[in-house]
Amino acid sequence: MATLSEKKTCSERMENFRRFIWNPETKQFMGRTLINWVWISLYYLAFYVVMTGLFSLSLYSLMRTLNPYEPDYQDQLKSPGVTLRPDVFGERGLQIYYNVSDNKTWDGFITTLQTFLTAYTPAAQHLNINCTSDTYFIQDTFDGPNKTKLSCKFTSDMLQNCSGLTDPTFGFPEGKPCLIIKMNRIIKFYPGNGTAPRVDCTYVGDDSRPLEVDYYPVNGTFNLHYFPYYGKKAQPTYTNPLVAVKLLNITRNEEFKIVCRVVGTGIISDNVHDPYEGKVEFRLKIDD
Amino acid sequence: MEEKYGTSISKGLSSARAAEILARDGPNSLTPPKATPEIVKFLKQMVGGFSILLWIGAAFSWISFGIQFAQGAESPFDNLYLGVVLALVVILTGIFAYYQEAKSTNIMASFSKMIPQQALVIRDAEKKELPADQLVVGDIVEIKGGDRIPADIRLIFTQGCKVDNSSLTGESEPQSRSCDFTHENPLETRNIAFYSTTCVEGTATGIVINTGDRTIIGRIASLASGVGNGKTPIAIEIEHFVYLVAGVAISIGVLFFIISVSMRYKILDSIIFLIGIIVANVPEGLLATVTVSLSLTAKRMAKKNCLVKNLEAVETLGSTSIICSDKTGTLTQNRMTVAHLWFDDQIYSADTSEDQTSKYPFDQSSQTWTALSKIVTLCNRAEFRPGQENLPVMKRVVVGDASETALLKFAEVVLGDVMDIRARNKKVAEIPFNSTNKFQLSIHETDDRNDKRFLLVMKGAPERILERCSTIMINGKEEPLDSEKAEAFQTAYMELGGMGERVLGFCHLYLPENEFPDTYPFDTDSMNFPTSNLCFVGLLSMIDPPRSTVPDAVSKCRSAGIKVIMVTGDHPITAKAIAKSVGIISATSETVEDMAKRLNVPVERVDRRQATAAVVNGMELKDMSLQQLDEVLCNHSEIVFARTSPQQKLIIVEGCQRQGAVVAVTGDGVNDSPALKKADIGIAMGIAGSDAAKNAADMVLLDDNFASIVTGVEEGRLIFDNLKKTIAYTLTKNIAELCPFLIYIIASIPMPIGTITILFIDLGTDIIPSVALAYEKAESDIMNRRPRNKSKDRLVNEQLAVYSYLHIGIMQSVGAFVTYFTVYAEQGFLPTTLLGVRVNWESNAINDFEDSYGQEWTKYQRTYLQWTGYTAFFVSITIQQVADLIIRKTRRNSIFQQGLFRTSFLTPRFQYWFVAVPFAILIWVYDEVRKLFIRRYPGSK
């Protein structure tokens, strides 16, 4: 089978290219006449305008079908995630490493906690109401102003020794640090099935030594009146309830792996794929 | 001689000596052309096409895996897997293509293994049957009629030996061989018989002087294998396509690499984007699809008697614009058949079709016919081989030369049992045909018991026969042969001769009983019987008739814009007659000579440009310059080359290629192999073809039938159309796969589709529809278009790319993105929230990522949502590809004209399937409108 391609010289190629750019005989610029180019540009302009219009129209009608208060599906949010403050994320996950005698190593943690708790000052919470009931705070109607629902107050003083009010250093210098556990918001999620879920922290892998922990509020529970959450639009001033844990007997100069679970019916904490679902794990090392 | 070759004419070589020489010279067979080692073929598949790009992608993946692993990052294994998947893709498609290629080569390999040839050799003073490849120089071999010459042989003893050198020189007339040295040139001398030619009749003994590759044929064959193999048109097209797509992939990839680096993405991330963009752009499954389509077509063609050696040749045939066809065997039936009779001053035509359906095509009541039929039956030495009584007459094997065979079969069909008639009319004397007499004569007793006369019958060259006649039989009565009747004879003779037919004259004489009694001793040497003043009975003319399927095939070629040129070694008149009867020269067109005759002016004064047809003689061709040949090829649409040598065939092919044509050449002889190689597609004859021709060709016609070529052309065009559809289909989704990356980089939204998902679309869901497109039926105009112009009608042209990328591709992307945004919005992330979230979204440290409704998500929950997004995006591309498939089913016809097909799916969250449906419908409607415009305003840009 014989070869088909004919070799062109370089100058011929250049000439062809020049002719392609501007062909004086047919008055064609890059293969088309100018008027042709105008038409084709107009066509593309119109085409893309129409496509953009269609896209916008689709998104607009999509938005119209959505409920502004809650999403249509919660396929991935069957159970809440749990997070920790302070949240220093190292190569091996959450890690709280510091030296008691070196305040530079724990200043950062304190600032993080203080900043985090600014949302829980009485001033920040003044729009929320005081709740006393220990049951779910179910609201079928919009009782708040501007078609909103009410949210329960959670102020930092509820964290007592870990509120940062009595001890602005959150126990870090004493080697008994306060850590704050937060459960993720999920709309219309009823944790615990009537019993308040609570936080339970243990060493990972080493069951022989009990971990001495003080929980605030007492028993480390999330009060049921903070649930269910009705979404950002219904409860614009809602704040997550918190549980603070104060670790009391941490051996110095040794690294520990600690897990804090939220225990309660309907809260999954054994998903092998998701390390933050229903629990939070972190490493702790306090040096002298 | 004996001394020179160390042999003895009576005893031959000793076995030991022969073994020695065999060890030195090697077996007496042609070395097959060097095959590329399998491993090289395999590796070629691994690095050809897009493979290089994918290898680069894989390498980058592994490099970034290495870097991330060394840095101790969280999930570096994603990149490792991506690299492995990419490598697997390349290897698997490579293995697949290799397997397909190997399969089609195997068909050929099995084909070329033929029954080993035997030769009768004298060794150790004994005659032995040996396989021909065991022959060595110095062997004494015996040859008889019907044998193939086993090596180049110097003849030392001959008896009426004739050889057919057509496979070597193209000359179809058998040539006699003797022991005399007649010419310096070994090709011309009479005392050498050549390897692979056939001994037609007689016997001979000779000394082997050359074996294997050192034979004349061997030298020609090795010359042919020296002609380089170029690229097939489809290979060029695919290369062009690969360059185009690779160019787009690399430039977009690099552009966005620069953009992402300048947008402060990490270099490593930018490399990952680059891989993604390349993977999105490269249609991984396409080359496999092309291979499948080609091999499916090759299979289909094999069923129609076209065996394709090289898969890509399938398409080459479709783009063919000139076919240079042989006459004998390809256009004709390759057997002499009685075509016309002339008796009672009238021409009758006989049935020349393959199956001889009409038994009595002419008036048989005339007494003249009875006399003529008797001569035809009796004055004939040909005989059927015994044991073929059940076969149809036309298929029976006959011992005898071509014209006698024709006459025998003719008589058998019309009269019935010829052998019985001959037995009843015992032959008493015979003079066989020889070139000095130019007649054949025999004397018979008659089967009429009352008639004791002997019947002398004679046939031969008409003018010679007429010379010997004084009377002529008209309506059974002998009438004197006056000048008026002689004139009538001349007219009939000219007319039959003008039809390119071989004419024979027949005459007879009843010998007077008194002069030639029962016991009369006939002596053929002294000719003691009258051979003049005979009674002329009639003429019979024979021709090798065209195959019945050929005229239709030629007219199909013509409407398909393919020029059919006949190249033959035959006489111009015969060639022209056949060309006219099959339509290569159409009824209305004239050659220069025809015009001169009609206008009654000398040939020189005719305007050559007015003549559409031309019959060019080999002698004229020899004196032509290249420009003159080009002029002939350009100016005449209907050309016949007659009396051409195989070397001239090569010149003709080159001439056609100079016109920019894609040339198909048919050939059978060894000497055709250079032309077969030179042609864009060489077609060898399966039955008549020599091994060398089959080796040089790209395709083998199993039935030697020209009509099969036309089927091949149709298949070839169909595959090109269908590949175009497949590519258009495949290219479209590239934009929908590419856009996610671009928007991901620019708008920092969560990744809409993953690299592996793209691979899954390309290699999973898209392959089957692509192959389905290769099965599409031909559009109605496929054989009414001109052959594609190889420089203009590309497989992938600007319009196709622009339409796929910038129209349908954009629509698909919009559809897919609407699906994407729908999924995210319904799960909690409104489109506005998604913009610019990439860094936080992908951060492992953020496990309370807030959505539009205030809910908080862990990293894993987000990743899971992202995967759902991938699936939805994938699904919407697939759904819209269904629309794409529907629109690509036809190039011009509306889908309503071609018919639909059905398909079904299954997934979770079923409603996401339907988001893209309106867009799929939009794509379809848009394309219907486009086709409507194309049909309304054809030819506009």
Side-chain angles (χ1 to χ4, degrees), chain B residues 264-293:
Chain B
R264 308 247 174 91
Y265 282 90
K266 277 189 264 168
I267 297 282
L268 216 54
D269 286 343
S270 307
I271 289 177
I272 306 285
F273 302 158
L274 180 65
I275 298 168
I277 288 171
I278 289 176
V279 169
N281 254 310
V282 170
E284 286 83 7
L286 187 74
L287 294 188
T289 313
V290 170
T291 320
V292 173
S293 311

Side-chain angles (χ1 to χ4, degrees), chain B residues 204-265:
Chain B
T205 310
I207 303 175
V208 175
I209 52 171
N210 276 318
T211 58
D213 290 336
R214 286 168 301 281
T215 58
I216 298 287
I217 289 282
R219 272 179 248 169
I220 294 177
S222 59
L223 193 81
S225 61
V227 178
N229 261 12
K231 278 177 186 149
T232 57
I234 192 75
I236 291 170
E237 288 307 315
I238 287 175
E239 195 170 80
H240 172 247
F241 166 71
V242 168
Y243 283 153
L244 201 115
V245 171
V248 170
I250 291 173
S251 36
I252 296 182
V254 169
L255 181 69
F256 275 83
F257 182 77
I258 294 167
I259 289 177
S260 49
V261 168
S262 55
M263 282 175 75
R264 308 247 174 91
Y265 282 90

Side-chain angles (χ1 to χ4, degrees), chain B residues 661-822:
Chain B
V662 176
V663 186
V665 171
T666 68
D668 45 22
V670 176
N671 51 346
D672 287 335
S673 46
L676 289 174
K677 277 248 163 176
K678 181 74 204 166
D680 298 297
I681 177 161
I683 305 167
M685 296 298 136
I687 302 168
S690 60
D691 284 354
K694 283 176 198 164
N695 272 331
D698 306 293
M699 223 174 84
V700 178
L701 281 190
L702 291 182
D703 58 356
D704 290 15
N705 190 348
F706 182 80
S708 307
I709 301 179
V710 180
T711 326
V713 170
E714 195 168 346
E715 291 288 348
R717 289 187 173 194
L718 180 60
I719 193 85
F720 190 81
D721 275 11
N722 286 350
L723 281 182
K724 213 165 179 164
K725 291 174 188 172
T726 307
I727 286 179
Y729 170 78
T730 316
L731 281 187
T732 305
K733 67 171 191 309
N734 279 5
I735 283 293
E737 290 171 350
L738 184 67
C739 280
F741 275 95
L742 309 187
I743 293 174
Y744 167 75
I745 293 171
I746 292 170
S748 285
I749 55 171
M751 183 82 98
I753 191 163
T755 312
I756 297 201
T757 320
I758 290 176
L759 284 176
F760 189 73
I761 298 176
D762 287 0
L763 292 167
T765 56
D766 240 30
I767 286 238
I768 295 160
S770 307
V771 174
L773 280 176
Y775 269 116
E776 273 304 307
K777 290 232 169 61
E779 283 179 47
S780 44
D781 64 340
I782 192 159
M783 286 305 272
N784 296 321
R785 290 184 230 144
R786 297 197 56 73
R788 75 184 178 91
N789 181 333
K790 64 189 176 194
S791 58
K792 281 186 191 142
D793 298 335
R794 310 303 302 251
L795 188 59
V796 184
N797 55 18
E798 188 197 338
Q799 282 102 321
L800 184 135
V802 163
Y803 186 66
S804 295
Y805 276 146
L806 297 184
H807 295 220
I808 303 297
I810 294 291
M811 290 192 199
Q812 267 198 1
S813 310
V814 169
F817 267 101
V818 168
T819 313
Y820 165 85
F821 282 121
T822 308

Side-chain angles (χ1 to χ4, degrees), chain A residues 242-258:
Chain A
L242 305 172
V243 169
V245 290
K246 194 173 178 68
L247 306 167
L248 300 174
N249 65 338
I250 302 300
T251 316
R252 303 288 165 92
N253 302 324
E254 204 180 321
E255 192 193 86
F256 299 102
K257 203 173 172 192
I258 296 167

Side-chain angles (χ1 to χ4, degrees), chain B residues 606-626:
Chain B
V606 176
D607 180 8
R608 292 192 164 267
R609 284 162 198 282
Q610 297 233 319
T612 47
V615 178
V616 182
N617 198 315
M619 299 305 284
E620 294 166 43
L621 188 59
K622 206 182 261 174
D623 302 329
M624 273 186 190
S625 66
L626 290 182

